[in-house]
Amino acid sequence: MTTKIGRNDPCWCNSGRKYKTCHQAFDERIASYAARGHIVPTHDIIKNAKQVEKIKESCKINIAVLDYIEKNIHEGMNTAEIDKIVYDMTTDMGGIPAPLNYEGYPFSVCTSVNDQVCHGFPSEKVILKQGDIINVDCSTILNGYFSDSSRMFEIGEVSAEKKKLVEVTKECVELGLNEVKPWGFLGDMGQAVHDHAFANGYTVVREIGGHGVGLKFHEEPWVGYNSRRGQEMLLVPGMIFTIEPMVNMGKVDIYVDDENDWEVYTADGKPSAQWEIMVLVTEDGAEVLCW
Ligand code: MF3
Ligand code: CO
């Protein structure tokens, strides 16, 4: 049972303002969507301005680390070196790599090469070679606030078909982002991502999606891409979530390495690509916090 907030009580968002002049109309608007059967966000995933500022500080580290990797990644480098860069840079800037020890994950970053879909383990044995495509997925905790984003990198000259996969996957994220606005739906974004991948002959991994993020590593909502316009959670200002589709060149099926229970591969061995951005729903649209 929840206690109804009085109009003159302090608002739940900790603004210090009275409920009636702060989030009361907002809550009534959300309730009207819920009454029509929509999935709606709970207060605990709606960030206030102070929290957004803290989260943006965390994002700065994540962006700096990925910028550095972008400049320095090269043929002949092994992915354990990327792990060390992420650990050293993140901790030097006062942060903690969020993946490290997360549900037993043993590294600071995920490095997923070619047919690895996600959660690739950095390793001295994985030496980047000409023609590889790699996703580097970086997440940071700073003062208890989380950021999460990932980019694709091409090693030397890659084949035209891999290049196209990487490009189209990035376009999927951009088209999805264009759909993010207050009082829209998560499914507006999901369908845009899916339709563009599908139009290019690709498939979008179903089992693994994006997520709310900021106060925890993974919050509600779960963010899938096999959703339809007008469906899934209502989007309201203050929500933060990732858009991070994994797009397969071939079939949609994936499997998890049964020795480590983490690394995910395409079942057909064809390449997979992923870009991840972290998005804030604002009063009039969306702001990308991290990429
Ligand atoms: N950065 C990944 C994500 O987008 C994190 C996966 S969990 C980890 O959610 F333990 F592998 F980091
Ligand atoms: Co993520």
Side-chain angles (χ1 to χ4, degrees), residues 137 139 148-149 209-211 217-218 242 244 274 276:
D137 190 340
S139 321
D148 184 9
S149 59
H211 49 93
F217 196 174
H218 296 117
T242 68
E244 51 173 313
Q274 178 185 30
E276 174 176 17

Side-chain angles (χ1 to χ4, degrees), residues 31-53:
S32 75
Y33 281 91
R36 281 176 274 151
H38 289 289
I39 303 165
V40 299
T42 49
H43 289 162
D44 57 331
I45 62 164
I46 298 168
K47 281 79 179 170
N48 64 32
K50 284 183 199 125
Q51 291 168 328
V52 169
E53 284 317 305

Side-chain angles (χ1 to χ4, degrees), residues 148-165:
D148 184 9
S149 59
S150 79
R151 301 183 199 169
M152 292 298 296
F153 303 110
E154 298 173 7
I155 307 302
E157 278 305 306
V158 309
S159 68
E161 58 169 4
K162 274 182 171 173
K163 233 182 195 356
K164 185 183 165 198
L165 176 70

